[in-house]
Amino acid sequence: MKRVLITGGAGFLGSHLCDRFIKEGFHVIAMDNLITGDLKNIEHLFKLPNFEFYHHDVSKFIHVPGELDYILHFASPASPIDYLKIPIQTLKVGSLGIHNCLGLARVKNARVLIASTSEVYGDPTVHPQPEEYWGNVNPVGPRGVYDEAKRFQEAMTMAYRTYHNLETRIVRIFNTYGPRMRLNDGRVLPAFIGQALRGEDLTMFGDGSQTRAFCYVDDLVEGIYRLLMSDYAQPVNIGNPDEITIKEFGEEIIKLTGTDQKLISLPLPTDDPKQRKPDITKAKEILGWEPKVARAEGLKITYEYFKSLPKDELFKMANHREFDKK
Ligand code: UDP
């Protein structure tokens, strides 16, 4: 039985990856410090003999007994509210965390796949964004802690490949959505759906002309799985190129939820990228991958998930569990 370690395994993407690797017959070890992850996302896996959970911070030395074939580094806060509240943890997990993962991979002779992000392109001046674009990032802005951590993580991963001949893969993840997103993480989709469910107006930032392109989580997981199993070591964009303005997106959520609330405009956050859309030529050619789930379908599933949550979840503010603030 192949063995995989998934850091951030109790998070939104990490937990879906745990499900996928269990389905593929792997022994799965999930690691999470539960600052933003939630055991609810993986509690259905605890009864399985081929699933283990380590409550541990990957920024500190990691030890995993036994062999490991793959390590997927998905631990990281990943929403603008998180970066503002826990900037130092965000930097540490992208730097010390990846260093620990790469060190462990060397000892175990494991292949490493790291979760990078479209944020490495910053507020892009090239549209859509191909992997060759180097980006337009403000290192000292509010997003800098995330963007630079992820850029460092890519550099570190390539250095281990070059100098230690480690097998590495880099996925650049564009906006992704689906069940198990945190309702209060501040991202636009849970924000809008949460507001609709609470009967509040939908808070559009700026005039809503900025664009994003949203990928359903199952499509993303398929792309990541194919990349891991491929022999391609350069970064690959995985995302859905179906671009939409945030205003149009808000209108879609109003229609989907049937709310009689409206879109209101709040100030645009600092360095909010004006446009974003993946160029997925490489994923298509190298992995034979493209997204299959249309936004209308994915949004319906996600809305049903948020509706099914206990009512009090709807009114919880973003709160991070107790953690070491250093
Ligand atoms: N946004 C918005 N209202 C919200 C939250 C976000 O209009 O309540 C906008 C945000 O300004 C950005 C887009 O939606 O332009 C996507 O934001 P998100 O935080 O989901 O992800 P990002 O792609 O910016 O990292």
Side-chain angles (χ1 to χ4, degrees):
M1 193 181 255
K2 295 262 187 215
R3 289 163 59 88
V4 58
L5 168 68
I6 302 175
T7 75
F12 165 45
L13 298 182
S15 65
H16 283 282
L17 285 165
C18 288
D19 285 342
R20 175 61 187 263
F21 281 88
I22 288 287
K23 215 167 109 196
E24 298 286 344
F26 280 71
H27 184 97
V28 174
I29 303 164
M31 185 179 283
D32 207 298
N33 64 1
L34 301 177
I35 291 183
T36 57
D38 197 322
L39 286 181
K40 281 206 286 292
N41 293 334
I42 47 171
E43 67 188 357
H44 58 288
L45 300 176
F46 275 81
K47 59 181 182 295
L48 303 177
N50 55 329
F51 179 78
E52 290 175 72
F53 175 69
Y54 285 23
H55 185 188
H56 183 71
D57 182 347
V58 68
S59 304
K60 306 208 167 102
F61 180 81
I62 42 180
H63 172 68
V64 174
E67 291 179 8
L68 278 179
D69 299 284
Y70 302 105
I71 299 176
L72 278 71
H73 186 40
F74 275 70
S76 179
S79 83
I81 281 194
D82 292 343
Y83 324 146
L84 285 178
K85 285 202 154 189
I86 43 177
I88 296 169
Q89 277 67 28
T90 306
L91 282 158
K92 280 169 75 175
V93 75
S95 52
L96 307 179
I98 189 60
H99 195 205
N100 289 336
C101 286
L102 292 164
L104 183 67
R106 269 188 82 200
V107 174
K108 305 283 185 188
N109 201 16
R111 181 179 294 184
V112 179
L113 181 145
I114 64 157
S116 189
T117 165
S118 54
E119 282 285 324
V120 300
Y121 303 123
D123 188 1
T125 54
V126 170
H127 192 73
Q129 295 80 53
E131 289 84 350
E132 291 76 21
Y133 177 52
W134 291 353
N136 178 35
V137 169
N138 174 6
V140 294
R143 287 172 182 256
V145 295
Y146 184 64
D147 301 6
E148 295 297 357
K150 292 290 187 180
R151 288 168 70 97
F152 174 90
Q153 190 174 278
E154 289 197 10
M156 187 67 139
T157 300
M158 286 317 258
Y160 265 70
R161 177 173 185 82
T162 311
Y163 293 102
H164 294 308
N165 288 318
L166 202 69
E167 280 280 351
T168 57
R169 306 287 180 266
I170 299 174
V171 57
R172 290 191 181 145
I173 299 170
F174 283 66
N175 293 66
T176 301
Y177 69 97
R180 302 185 195 156
M181 284 187 102
R182 268 156 54 224
L183 192 55
N184 52 17
D185 76 357
R187 291 218 196 94
V188 67
L189 183 143
F192 282 177
I193 292 187
Q195 286 157 347
L197 287 172
R198 290 189 298 269
E200 298 166 3
D201 286 334
L202 276 59
T203 55
M204 174 179 75
F205 296 162
D207 63 4
S209 63
Q210 69 273 34
T211 70
R212 294 294 186 271
F214 297 94
C215 184
Y216 187 63
V217 64
D218 289 358
D219 281 333
L220 183 93
V221 165
E222 178 63 29
I224 290 171
Y225 192 81
R226 288 189 190 202
L227 176 61
L228 180 68
M229 298 307 164
S230 79
D231 56 9
Y232 190 74
Q234 294 297 315
V236 178
N237 289 337
I238 299 285
N240 189 325
D242 186 5
E243 185 182 10
I244 184 172
T245 67
I246 293 302
K247 183 157 190 266
E248 288 163 340
F249 187 63
E251 283 156 3
E252 280 189 5
I253 300 286
I254 288 176
K255 208 163 148 211
L256 170 74
T257 57
T259 176
D260 46 17
Q261 305 297 315
K262 56 186 187 315
L263 281 172
I264 53 163
S265 177
L266 295 182
L268 196 64
T270 310
D271 298 337
D272 198 289
K274 282 179 277 306
Q275 50 181 7
R276 183 185 290 151
K277 165 183 168 161
D279 178 333
I280 58 165
T281 312
K282 281 212 167 57
K284 277 187 185 157
E285 285 173 0
I286 297 164
L287 311 176
W289 176 88
E290 62 183 325
K292 300 252 181 296
V293 182
R295 202 169 49 246
E297 190 189 338
L299 283 183
K300 235 173 116 194
I301 301 168
T302 311
Y303 178 48
E304 290 306 319
Y305 166 77
F306 282 127
K307 266 204 306 196
S308 74
L309 293 176
K311 268 262 165 315
D312 59 332
E313 290 279 322
L314 269 181
F315 293 92
K316 272 191 202 148
M317 294 312 290
N319 70 331
H320 300 95
R321 291 180 191 82
E322 279 308 304
F323 57 90
D324 175 6
K325 296 211 162 91
K326 289 192 291 296

